[in-house]
Amino acid sequence: MSLLSYLFWPNPGGASYDNPKVVAIFVMCGVLVLLSFTLKFWRRGLNNPVLKRLNRSWPSACLWFGVVGIVLAVSRVEQVQFVSMRLWWVIWGLCALTYVVFQVFSFKNRYYATIPTQVSEDIRDKYLPRKKKR
């Protein structure tokens, strides 16, 4: 029962902007937001269409996970009731983990590289019979 009250307590309090955990969360979420812009520019330079299609959702997912994490951290510090519940962090983490696992499996199953074929020129080809031209 204490785990449920720990997760569902509407206003946990006890957090401030100089708390190392809160600073670490802000840094992590800020890195996610910056990573979203970096992935967007990296994706523009890709020449492999399969890789480009598979990582299409990565920039927007990083941006949303970063922004939602910052909102959750600010609501915890500012003691906004029901938004600062610890349960939302559990749900955020489970969603992020589910997204990463799904992307890993999708990438593993759907990524392929086209291997260029080499055409060998046989010197006997000019002596072999060809199809008749109409």
Side-chain angles (χ1 to χ4, degrees), residues 20-70:
K21 290 179 186 178
V22 175
V23 172
I25 288 172
F26 278 128
V27 168
M28 179 189 68
C29 293
V31 166
L32 280 174
V33 170
L34 292 176
L35 183 65
S36 72
F37 295 117
T38 306
L39 285 173
K40 188 175 182 179
F41 289 119
W42 170 73
R43 191 172 175 273
R44 285 183 186 170
L46 286 178
N47 293 328
N48 188 345
V50 177
L51 183 61
K52 201 169 189 176
R53 186 179 67 236
L54 285 175
N55 65 20
R56 177 176 37 209
S57 67
W58 294 357
S60 62
C62 284
L63 180 69
W64 280 108
F65 280 119
V67 168
V68 169
I70 289 172

